[in-house]
Amino acid sequence: MATHFSPVRSILQPKQNPPKALLSLRDSYGGTRVWKKCQPSTVNVCSWSSAASYVTPQGGAAKFSGNSIVVQKQLLQKRAGIVRAATIEEIEAEKSLIEKDAKGRMEKTIESVRSNFNSIRTGRANPAMLDKIEVEYYGSPVGLKSLAQISTPDASSILISPYDKSSLKSIEKAIVGSDLGMTPNNDGEVIRLTLPQLTSDRRKELTKVVSKQAEEGKVALRNIRRDALKAYEKLQKEKKLSEDTVKDFSSDLQKLTDEYVKKLDTVSKQKEKELLKV
Protein backbone atom coordinates (compact mmCIF):
# COMPACT_ATOMS: atom_id res chain seq x y z
CA MET A 1 0.00 0.00 0.00
CA ALA A 2 1.47 3.40 -0.98
CA THR A 3 2.06 5.96 1.69
CA HIS A 4 1.07 9.61 1.20
CA PHE A 5 2.20 12.36 3.59
CA SER A 6 0.12 15.50 4.00
CA PRO A 7 1.74 18.90 4.83
CA VAL A 8 0.36 18.58 8.35
CA ARG A 9 0.81 14.95 9.21
CA SER A 10 0.26 11.53 7.75
CA ILE A 11 -0.22 8.19 9.34
CA LEU A 12 0.50 4.89 7.81
CA GLN A 13 -1.74 2.40 9.52
CA PRO A 14 0.17 -0.74 10.41
CA LYS A 15 -1.19 -4.14 9.64
CA GLN A 16 -2.36 -6.32 12.42
CA ASN A 17 0.56 -7.94 14.16
CA PRO A 18 3.15 -5.67 12.57
CA PRO A 19 6.44 -7.43 11.85
CA LYS A 20 9.35 -6.89 14.16
CA ALA A 21 11.12 -4.97 11.42
CA LEU A 22 8.71 -2.02 11.77
CA LEU A 23 10.23 1.12 13.22
CA SER A 24 8.32 3.81 15.08
CA LEU A 25 9.50 7.24 13.86
CA ARG A 26 8.42 10.82 14.16
CA ASP A 27 7.39 12.45 10.92
CA SER A 28 9.13 15.65 9.91
CA TYR A 29 6.06 17.84 10.30
CA GLY A 30 3.94 17.31 13.31
CA GLY A 31 5.86 14.79 15.39
CA THR A 32 3.20 12.11 14.94
CA ARG A 33 4.29 8.50 15.12
CA VAL A 34 4.72 7.00 11.65
CA TRP A 35 5.20 3.32 10.96
CA LYS A 36 7.72 2.51 8.24
CA LYS A 37 8.48 -0.99 7.13
CA CYS A 38 12.10 -1.95 6.62
CA GLN A 39 13.45 -4.81 4.65
CA PRO A 40 15.40 -7.23 6.82
CA SER A 41 18.75 -5.58 6.88
CA THR A 42 22.20 -6.58 7.86
CA VAL A 43 24.52 -4.01 9.35
CA ASN A 44 28.19 -4.40 8.71
CA VAL A 45 29.99 -3.21 11.81
CA CYS A 46 32.10 -0.25 10.82
CA SER A 47 35.63 0.21 11.98
CA TRP A 48 36.62 3.86 12.29
CA SER A 49 39.92 5.57 11.84
CA SER A 50 40.60 9.25 12.30
CA ALA A 51 42.22 11.35 9.64
CA ALA A 52 43.48 14.87 10.15
CA SER A 53 39.98 16.35 10.03
CA TYR A 54 37.31 13.66 9.99
CA VAL A 55 36.49 9.98 10.24
CA THR A 56 35.44 7.66 7.48
CA PRO A 57 33.95 4.16 7.79
CA GLN A 58 36.10 1.33 6.56
CA GLY A 59 34.76 -1.95 5.22
CA GLY A 60 31.23 -2.34 3.84
CA ALA A 61 28.79 0.49 4.42
CA ALA A 62 25.59 -0.30 6.30
CA LYS A 63 22.82 -1.37 3.86
CA PHE A 64 19.21 -0.32 4.31
CA SER A 65 16.17 -0.35 2.05
CA GLY A 66 14.85 3.16 1.45
CA ASN A 67 15.37 4.35 5.00
CA SER A 68 16.40 7.88 5.92
CA ILE A 69 19.79 8.85 7.31
CA VAL A 70 18.14 9.14 10.72
CA VAL A 71 17.01 5.54 10.57
CA GLN A 72 20.50 4.42 9.55
CA LYS A 73 22.03 6.31 12.45
CA GLN A 74 19.57 4.79 14.91
CA LEU A 75 20.28 1.28 13.69
CA LEU A 76 24.02 1.85 13.85
CA GLN A 77 23.73 3.12 17.38
CA LYS A 78 21.50 0.22 18.35
CA ARG A 79 23.47 -2.60 16.76
CA ALA A 80 27.07 -1.36 16.65
CA GLY A 81 27.11 1.11 19.51
CA ILE A 82 27.96 4.78 19.26
CA VAL A 83 31.47 5.37 17.88
CA ARG A 84 32.88 8.89 18.12
CA ALA A 85 36.07 9.94 16.39
CA ALA A 86 38.65 12.32 17.76
CA THR A 87 38.12 15.88 16.59
CA ILE A 88 40.83 18.08 15.10
CA GLU A 89 41.10 19.90 18.42
CA GLU A 90 41.50 16.63 20.35
CA ILE A 91 44.15 15.34 17.94
CA GLU A 92 46.10 18.59 18.18
CA ALA A 93 45.80 18.51 21.97
CA GLU A 94 47.23 14.96 22.08
CA LYS A 95 50.10 16.02 19.82
CA SER A 96 50.77 19.13 21.91
CA LEU A 97 50.98 17.12 25.14
CA ILE A 98 53.36 14.55 23.69
CA GLU A 99 55.59 17.18 22.07
CA LYS A 100 55.61 19.30 25.22
CA ASP A 101 56.76 16.34 27.31
CA ALA A 102 59.45 15.41 24.76
CA LYS A 103 60.68 18.99 24.48
CA GLY A 104 60.87 19.38 28.26
CA ARG A 105 62.91 16.19 28.60
CA MET A 106 65.22 17.25 25.77
CA GLU A 107 65.82 20.59 27.47
CA LYS A 108 66.77 18.80 30.68
CA THR A 109 69.14 16.57 28.70
CA ILE A 110 70.94 19.62 27.26
CA GLU A 111 71.21 21.20 30.72
CA SER A 112 72.55 17.98 32.20
CA VAL A 113 75.24 17.70 29.51
CA ARG A 114 76.14 21.37 29.95
CA SER A 115 76.47 20.81 33.72
CA ASN A 116 78.77 17.85 33.10
CA PHE A 117 80.90 19.97 30.77
CA ASN A 118 81.19 22.67 33.43
CA SER A 119 82.69 20.16 35.83
CA ILE A 120 85.50 19.45 33.35
CA ARG A 121 88.23 21.91 34.16
CA THR A 122 89.81 24.08 31.55
CA GLY A 123 92.81 26.36 31.97
CA ARG A 124 90.77 28.87 34.02
CA ALA A 125 89.35 28.45 37.55
CA ASN A 126 85.59 27.99 37.64
CA PRO A 127 83.40 27.11 40.70
CA ALA A 128 81.30 24.90 38.43
CA MET A 129 84.21 22.47 38.36
CA LEU A 130 83.11 21.36 41.83
CA ASP A 131 79.44 20.80 40.92
CA LYS A 132 79.71 17.02 40.88
CA ILE A 133 81.62 16.64 44.16
CA GLU A 134 79.66 15.13 47.03
CA VAL A 135 80.90 15.12 50.61
CA GLU A 136 80.12 12.54 53.29
CA TYR A 137 78.47 14.73 55.92
CA TYR A 138 77.00 13.08 59.03
CA GLY A 139 76.58 9.81 57.18
CA SER A 140 74.91 11.23 54.07
CA PRO A 141 76.32 12.43 50.72
CA VAL A 142 75.85 16.18 50.36
CA GLY A 143 76.78 18.44 47.46
CA LEU A 144 79.87 20.53 48.20
CA LYS A 145 78.06 23.74 47.23
CA SER A 146 75.60 23.13 50.08
CA LEU A 147 78.39 22.94 52.64
CA ALA A 148 80.67 25.80 51.64
CA GLN A 149 81.03 29.11 49.87
CA ILE A 150 83.12 28.73 46.73
CA SER A 151 84.95 31.59 45.05
CA THR A 152 87.75 32.21 42.53
CA PRO A 153 90.17 34.86 43.90
CA ASP A 154 92.20 34.64 40.69
CA ALA A 155 92.25 32.82 37.36
CA SER A 156 94.22 29.85 38.66
CA SER A 157 92.78 29.13 42.14
CA ILE A 158 89.53 28.20 43.88
CA LEU A 159 88.79 29.04 47.51
CA ILE A 160 86.44 26.82 49.56
CA SER A 161 85.10 28.27 52.84
CA PRO A 162 82.98 25.70 54.77
CA TYR A 163 80.03 26.92 56.80
CA ASP A 164 80.88 24.21 59.32
CA LYS A 165 84.61 24.01 60.00
CA SER A 166 84.27 20.43 61.20
CA SER A 167 83.53 19.42 57.60
CA LEU A 168 86.98 20.51 56.32
CA LYS A 169 88.45 17.02 56.51
CA SER A 170 85.49 15.46 54.75
CA ILE A 171 85.65 18.08 51.99
CA GLU A 172 89.36 17.53 51.53
CA LYS A 173 88.86 13.78 51.31
CA ALA A 174 86.11 14.17 48.69
CA ILE A 175 88.31 16.39 46.51
CA VAL A 176 91.25 14.00 46.69
CA GLY A 177 88.99 11.11 45.73
CA SER A 178 87.52 12.98 42.74
CA ASP A 179 88.85 13.09 39.18
CA LEU A 180 89.75 16.78 39.37
CA GLY A 181 93.44 16.00 39.49
CA MET A 182 94.11 18.74 42.08
CA THR A 183 95.66 18.60 45.55
CA PRO A 184 93.70 20.58 48.17
CA ASN A 185 95.57 22.87 50.60
CA ASN A 186 93.77 22.82 53.98
CA ASP A 187 94.90 25.49 56.47
CA GLY A 188 92.26 24.68 59.09
CA GLU A 189 89.97 27.51 57.98
CA VAL A 190 89.61 27.20 54.22
CA ILE A 191 90.67 24.91 51.41
CA ARG A 192 92.52 26.34 48.44
CA LEU A 193 92.81 24.63 45.10
CA THR A 194 95.47 25.66 42.62
CA LEU A 195 94.94 24.68 39.03
CA PRO A 196 98.03 23.31 37.35
CA GLN A 197 98.57 24.19 33.74
CA LEU A 198 96.98 21.68 31.40
CA THR A 199 99.43 19.79 29.26
CA SER A 200 98.69 19.14 25.61
CA ASP A 201 98.07 15.46 26.31
CA ARG A 202 95.71 16.28 29.17
CA ARG A 203 93.72 18.64 26.98
CA LYS A 204 93.30 15.92 24.36
CA GLU A 205 92.14 13.47 27.01
CA LEU A 206 89.54 15.94 28.24
CA THR A 207 88.24 16.56 24.73
CA LYS A 208 87.64 12.82 24.46
CA VAL A 209 85.65 12.99 27.69
CA VAL A 210 83.58 15.85 26.24
CA SER A 211 82.98 13.88 23.04
CA LYS A 212 81.84 10.83 24.99
CA GLN A 213 79.44 12.83 27.15
CA ALA A 214 78.05 14.56 24.06
CA GLU A 215 77.38 11.20 22.41
CA GLU A 216 75.62 9.98 25.56
CA GLY A 217 73.45 13.09 25.39
CA LYS A 218 72.52 12.34 21.78
CA VAL A 219 71.53 8.80 22.75
CA ALA A 220 69.29 10.27 25.46
CA LEU A 221 67.66 12.58 22.91
CA ARG A 222 66.98 9.67 20.55
CA ASN A 223 65.45 7.67 23.41
CA ILE A 224 63.11 10.57 24.17
CA ARG A 225 62.09 10.64 20.50
CA ARG A 226 61.47 6.88 20.63
CA ASP A 227 59.20 7.25 23.68
CA ALA A 228 57.18 10.00 21.99
CA LEU A 229 56.84 7.89 18.85
CA LYS A 230 55.52 4.99 20.91
CA ALA A 231 52.91 7.33 22.37
CA TYR A 232 51.76 8.23 18.84
CA GLU A 233 51.63 4.57 17.82
CA LYS A 234 49.55 3.78 20.88
CA LEU A 235 47.00 6.39 19.82
CA GLN A 236 46.95 4.84 16.35
CA LYS A 237 46.19 1.39 17.79
CA GLU A 238 43.36 2.98 19.79
CA LYS A 239 41.98 4.33 16.47
CA LYS A 240 42.46 7.92 17.65
CA LEU A 241 45.03 8.70 14.98
CA SER A 242 45.31 7.49 11.40
CA GLU A 243 48.50 6.03 9.97
CA ASP A 244 49.07 9.12 7.80
CA THR A 245 48.62 11.42 10.78
CA VAL A 246 51.16 9.45 12.81
CA LYS A 247 53.63 9.72 9.93
CA ASP A 248 53.18 13.50 9.85
CA PHE A 249 53.61 13.78 13.62
CA SER A 250 56.68 11.53 13.50
CA SER A 251 58.22 13.81 10.89
CA ASP A 252 57.68 16.84 13.15
CA LEU A 253 59.17 14.88 16.05
CA GLN A 254 62.29 14.10 14.02
CA LYS A 255 62.71 17.80 13.24
CA LEU A 256 62.49 18.60 16.95
CA THR A 257 65.09 15.94 17.75
CA ASP A 258 67.44 17.24 15.04
CA GLU A 259 67.10 20.73 16.51
CA TYR A 260 68.24 19.56 19.94
CA VAL A 261 71.05 17.46 18.51
CA LYS A 262 72.36 20.64 16.87
CA LYS A 263 72.14 22.46 20.22
CA LEU A 264 74.14 19.69 21.83
CA ASP A 265 76.77 19.86 19.07
CA THR A 266 77.11 23.61 19.63
CA VAL A 267 77.60 23.17 23.39
CA SER A 268 80.17 20.40 22.97
CA LYS A 269 82.17 22.26 20.31
CA GLN A 270 82.31 25.31 22.56
CA LYS A 271 83.67 23.20 25.41
CA GLU A 272 86.28 21.56 23.18
CA LYS A 273 87.35 25.00 22.03
CA GLU A 274 87.86 26.08 25.65
CA LEU A 275 89.91 22.99 26.39
CA LEU A 276 92.19 23.39 23.39
CA LYS A 277 92.69 27.10 23.94
CA VAL A 278 96.20 27.70 25.34
Side-chain angles (χ1 to χ4, degrees):
M1 180 175 66
T3 302
H4 301 282
F5 292 91
S6 70
V8 180
R9 67 180 182 177
S10 61
I11 302 176
L12 174 63
Q13 296 295 338
K15 298 178 180 179
Q16 291 182 345
N17 301 321
K20 295 182 180 179
L22 291 180
L23 296 177
S24 175
L25 305 176
R26 299 281 182 182
D27 67 26
S28 59
Y29 295 99
T32 306
R33 288 186 181 276
V34 177
W35 291 97
K36 290 181 69 66
K37 183 176 181 180
C38 302
Q39 295 293 336
S41 58
T42 58
V43 180
N44 294 332
V45 177
C46 296
S47 60
W48 301 82
S49 64
S50 58
S53 58
Y54 56 86
V55 171
T56 57
Q58 295 176 341
K63 296 181 180 178
F64 298 92
S65 174
N67 291 328
S68 67
I69 296 175
V70 175
V71 177
Q72 294 179 26
K73 184 182 292 184
Q74 288 176 341
L75 286 176
L76 280 172
Q77 291 175 349
K78 180 178 179 181
R79 299 193 182 191
I82 298 174
V83 179
R84 187 179 70 83
T87 64
I88 297 176
E89 290 77 10
E90 289 171 334
I91 291 174
E92 288 298 327
E94 292 279 10
K95 178 186 178 185
S96 179
L97 284 174
I98 294 172
E99 280 192 349
K100 184 178 180 180
D101 177 70
K103 189 172 182 178
R105 291 173 62 192
M106 288 182 182
E107 284 285 355
K108 290 181 179 179
T109 298
I110 297 294
E111 289 304 314
S112 177
V113 172
R114 184 179 283 113
S115 177
N116 289 337
F117 286 170
N118 287 337
S119 66
I120 299 175
R121 76 180 185 88
T122 56
R124 187 177 181 84
N126 184 351
M129 295 166 57
L130 306 179
D131 284 353
K132 299 298 180 181
I133 294 183
E134 291 188 337
V135 180
E136 191 73 17
Y137 187 65
Y138 288 100
S140 299
V142 180
L144 177 56
K145 284 191 171 183
S146 300
L147 298 177
Q149 181 180 355
I150 303 172
S151 59
T152 52
D154 54 62
S156 61
S157 62
I158 299 176
L159 194 64
I160 303 170
S161 304
Y163 302 122
D164 179 5
K165 304 300 180 184
S166 67
S167 65
L168 274 168
K169 288 290 184 182
S170 297
I171 293 174
E172 182 180 4
K173 181 179 179 181
I175 294 173
V176 171
S178 70
D179 59 356
L180 285 175
M182 292 185 284
T183 302
N185 181 11
N186 182 358
D187 64 4
E189 293 291 329
V190 297
I191 292 177
R192 185 181 296 273
L193 299 175
T194 301
L195 279 69
Q197 288 294 321
L198 289 175
T199 64
S200 178
D201 289 341
R202 180 56 177 166
R203 290 177 189 274
K204 290 178 181 179
E205 288 176 7
L206 292 176
T207 57
K208 290 179 181 179
V209 173
V210 169
S211 179
K212 180 181 178 182
Q213 291 183 356
E215 186 56 38
E216 291 172 351
K218 290 178 182 179
V219 171
L221 292 175
R222 295 187 192 107
N223 287 341
I224 294 170
R225 173 188 172 278
R226 178 201 61 198
D227 293 343
L229 186 58
K230 284 183 178 179
Y232 287 146
E233 291 173 347
K234 182 175 183 291
L235 292 176
Q236 181 184 346
K237 290 179 180 178
E238 294 172 352
K239 304 300 182 183
K240 294 181 180 179
L241 296 179
S242 69
E243 182 178 353
D244 289 341
T245 302
V246 170
K247 287 180 180 179
D248 291 340
F249 287 180
S250 299
S251 178
D252 292 341
L253 185 61
Q254 183 61 57
K255 291 177 183 177
L256 180 67
T257 306
D258 292 342
E259 177 186 336
Y260 277 90
V261 168
K262 288 181 180 178
K263 286 184 179 181
L264 188 53
D265 284 337
T266 299
V267 174
S268 62
K269 286 178 181 178
Q270 179 61 35
K271 186 62 180 182
E272 290 177 2
K273 184 178 178 181
E274 291 176 6
L275 286 170
L276 297 175
K277 186 177 180 180
V278 180

